[in-house]
């Protein structure tokens, strides 16, 4: 009949040897952890510095770049794909006087002075702005993809009739007359355009439409007003497609004077009431954006510290008594008497085997036979004391610890 092997759990209580063994295990540094904590911290900290430097540098470059031009849809100085710098430069090369306005009152004054006024985004105009622009005077008004509200206020004979969702090449018909401005083919990108699908318009009364598709014309006009159904006709990416440049340049440069009106959020007529943002200078926006970005980076740098949580060297030396007492309290709170008893018996059996010159992995029967000549206990009593006997209550556990201590003292004698 085979006997169970000796348990191999670490010592939880006992004599001086247990304390020294536990203390050595707790105080011995781990090579991997001791060698890996400091280099890892040193490798992570430079990344935070590099991130902060790049963010600040990017914010400064963005602010400097915005000082040269404004990047946005149909911005006259923007060299990007959505800007209109190419159209403005060609017009100026044709001796057209191009002036940029961002307030409705200035654009309306130019319109009454007889200049051609291009409204790049009529959809963003308020009712007050539309009423101001309604007094056209002798000037020509060019609207880029207006909505129903803008058409109702400025061109009641022209209405939106649909959209062009696919890339198309449109040709003028005999009804166009001089509205085509010599363009033979217009190309629009469809749904991938600057403002999505191109708009189609239907004309009535004295108004006319040109470059017709199934639901209407891409270009419409009435008296001194022209409606362009696609913003891509004026962009740097779209003006060179087809004969888009012929239509745009001839429409905008026919009078030799052009006001490029870009609606601005700071326009006093943009809302019914003025707020404090209206009185801020132009550089306040980029500066506040840079300040906000710097604050966010600072909060991230302060809130999250890379590296170990504690600043003291690891591992921390813990006294053996604290380890024993802490484990004992955990076992007591969990009512794990059998686990505590197994730990006590395992530690006692290991120390007894060392003193008797036995191998630690010897069977329980071998340890009992070696102990029998040295103690005043029968083999059955030793097997009950060192074997896996259940412990029903705390008093039995305390009694077991005392009996194991007495057994070790008998061997010491």
């Amino acid at each position: 009949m085979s006997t169970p092997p000796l348990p191999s759990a670490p010592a939880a209580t006992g004599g001086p040897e247990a304390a020294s063994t536990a203390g050595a295990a707790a105080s011995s540094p781990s090579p991997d952890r001791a060698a890996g904590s400091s280099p890892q911290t040193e490798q992570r900290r430079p990344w935070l510095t590099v991130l902060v430097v790049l963010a600040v540098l990017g914010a400064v470059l963005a602010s400097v770049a915005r000082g040269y031009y404004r990047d946005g849809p149909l911005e006259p100085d923007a060299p990007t794909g959505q800007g209109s710098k190419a159209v403005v430069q060609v017009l100026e090369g044709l001796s057209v006087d191009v002036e940029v306005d961002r307030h409705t009152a200035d654009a309306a004054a130019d319109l009454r002075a007889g200049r051609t006024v291009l409204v790049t985004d009529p959809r963003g105009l308020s009712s007050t702005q539309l009423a101001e622009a309604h007094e056209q005077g002798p000037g020509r008004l060019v609207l880029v993809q207006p909505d129903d509200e803008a058409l109702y206020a400025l061109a009641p004979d022209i209405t939106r009739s649909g959209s062009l969702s696919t890339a198309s090449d449109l040709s003028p018909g005999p009804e166009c007359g001089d509205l085509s401005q010599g363009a033979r083919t217009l190309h629009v990108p469809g749904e991938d355009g600057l403002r999505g699908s191109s708009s189609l318009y239907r004309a009535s009364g004295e108004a006319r439409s040109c470059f017709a598709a199934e639901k209407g014309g891409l270009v419409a006009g009435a008296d001194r007003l022209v409606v362009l159904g696609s913003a891509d006709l004026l962009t740097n990416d779209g003006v060179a497609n087809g004969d888009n440049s012929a239509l745009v340049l001839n429409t905008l440069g026919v009078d030799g004077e052009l006001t490029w009106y870009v609606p601005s959020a700071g326009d006093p007529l943009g809302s019914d009431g003025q707020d404090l943002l209206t009185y801020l200078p132009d550089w306040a926006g980029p500066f506040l954006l840079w300040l906000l970005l710097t604050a966010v980076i600072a909060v991230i740098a302060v809130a999250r510290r890379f590296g170990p949580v504690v600043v003291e060297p690891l591992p921390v030396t813990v006294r053996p008594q604290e380890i024993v007492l802490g484990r004992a309290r955990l076992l007591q709170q969990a009512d794990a008497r059998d686990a505590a008893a197994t730990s006590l018996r395992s530690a006692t059996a290991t120390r007894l085997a060392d003193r008797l010159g036995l191998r630690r992995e010897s069977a329980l029967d071998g340890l009992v036979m070696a102990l029998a000549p040295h103690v005043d206990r029968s083999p059955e009593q030793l097997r009950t004391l060192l074997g896996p006997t259940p412990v029903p209550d705390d008093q039995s556990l305390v009694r077991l610890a005392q009996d194991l201590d007495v057994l070790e003292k008998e061997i010491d004698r």
Side-chain angles (χ1 to χ4, degrees), residues 163-189:
S163 60
L164 204 58
S165 58
T166 58
S168 304
D169 292 324
L170 305 178
S171 300
E175 72 282 357
C176 288
D178 58 355
L179 192 59
S180 65
Q181 297 292 344
R184 293 169 296 180
T185 303
L186 296 184
H187 177 79
V188 289

Side-chain angles (χ1 to χ4, degrees), residues 250-269:
N250 291 329
T251 300
L252 301 181
V254 64
D255 295 330
E257 294 180 331
L258 172 65
T259 296
W260 196 287
Y261 171 44
V262 182
S264 172
D267 193 338
L269 299 179

Side-chain angles (χ1 to χ4, degrees), residues 7-23 25 320 323-325 327-328 331 339-340 342-351 360 408:
S8 58
T13 185
E17 292 85 0
S20 60
T21 303
I323 297 178
V324 174
L325 292 176
R327 185 177 180 187
L331 294 175
T342 301
S343 179
L344 292 173
R345 287 165 173 163
S346 174
T348 301
T350 301
R351 291 191 292 271
R360 296 190 178 186
E408 291 191 49

Side-chain angles (χ1 to χ4, degrees), residues 36-380:
S37 59
S38 180
Q40 184 179 8
T41 304
E42 294 178 359
Q43 291 176 0
R44 287 180 178 177
R45 286 177 180 172
W47 286 107
L48 179 60
T49 304
V50 173
L51 179 62
V52 173
V53 171
L54 291 178
V56 174
L57 182 61
V60 172
L61 292 178
S63 300
V64 172
R66 286 181 63 89
Y68 291 105
Y69 70 89
R70 298 191 181 191
D71 187 13
L74 304 186
E75 282 287 345
D77 295 332
T80 57
Q82 65 178 350
S84 299
K85 185 175 182 179
V87 175
V88 174
Q89 286 184 338
V90 174
L91 287 173
E92 291 177 343
L94 297 175
S95 300
V96 177
D97 178 24
V98 181
E99 178 182 336
V100 179
D101 284 341
R102 300 187 182 273
H103 289 175
T104 308
D106 298 333
D110 291 342
L111 191 62
R112 290 190 292 270
R115 296 174 63 95
T116 299
V117 176
L118 169 69
V119 184
T120 59
D121 190 9
R123 302 176 302 176
L125 299 180
S126 65
S127 57
T128 305
Q129 292 172 299
L130 292 174
E132 181 75 11
H134 181 64
E135 302 177 3
Q136 296 184 11
R140 299 177 71 250
L141 186 62
V142 181
L143 305 178
V144 180
Q145 213 165 345
D147 56 3
D148 294 333
E149 182 179 1
L151 289 174
Y152 180 78
L154 302 177
D157 292 338
I158 302 175
T159 57
R160 292 179 71 248
S161 58
S163 60
L164 204 58
S165 58
T166 58
S168 304
D169 292 324
L170 305 178
S171 300
E175 72 282 357
C176 288
D178 58 355
L179 192 59
S180 65
Q181 297 292 344
R184 293 169 296 180
T185 303
L186 296 184
H187 177 79
V188 289
E191 291 182 350
D192 297 331
L194 181 62
R195 295 175 183 169
S197 303
S198 302
S199 299
L200 299 177
Y201 301 95
R202 181 177 294 110
S204 60
E206 298 181 357
R208 293 174 298 164
S209 63
C210 188
F211 297 98
E214 295 181 358
K215 299 180 180 180
L218 185 68
V219 179
D223 194 15
R224 301 285 291 174
L225 182 137
V226 178
V227 174
L228 303 179
S230 175
D232 296 275
L233 297 173
L234 292 88
T235 62
N236 295 326
D237 288 343
V239 68
N241 296 329
D243 293 329
N244 297 355
S245 59
L247 174 68
V248 171
L249 297 176
N250 291 329
T251 300
L252 301 181
V254 64
D255 295 330
E257 294 180 331
L258 172 65
T259 296
W260 196 287
Y261 171 44
V262 182
S264 172
D267 193 338
L269 299 179
S271 58
D272 295 335
Q274 300 183 15
D275 53 13
L276 294 178
L277 297 179
T278 306
Y279 301 97
L280 293 178
D282 294 337
W283 53 264
F287 176 76
L288 292 177
L289 180 62
W290 174 83
L291 189 63
L292 178 62
L293 180 61
T294 305
V296 170
I297 295 175
V299 170
I300 295 176
V302 173
R304 180 176 180 180
R305 300 182 60 87
F306 295 95
V309 179
V310 293
V311 296
E312 56 206 305
L314 293 177
V316 179
T317 301
V318 182
R319 293 183 297 178
Q321 294 84 350
E322 296 180 3
I323 297 178
V324 174
L325 292 176
R327 185 177 180 187
R329 290 192 184 98
L330 290 176
L331 294 175
Q332 182 181 11
Q333 293 176 0
D335 292 333
R337 301 185 188 90
D338 291 336
T342 301
S343 179
L344 292 173
R345 287 165 173 163
S346 174
T348 301
T350 301
R351 291 191 292 271
L352 291 175
D354 290 340
R355 296 173 188 177
L356 296 175
L358 300 176
R359 297 176 58 186
R360 296 190 178 186
E361 61 271 13
S362 300
L364 180 60
D365 289 342
L367 180 60
V368 170
M369 293 177 60
L371 286 173
H374 302 281
V375 296
D376 297 334
R377 299 173 186 265
S378 62
E380 289 75 12

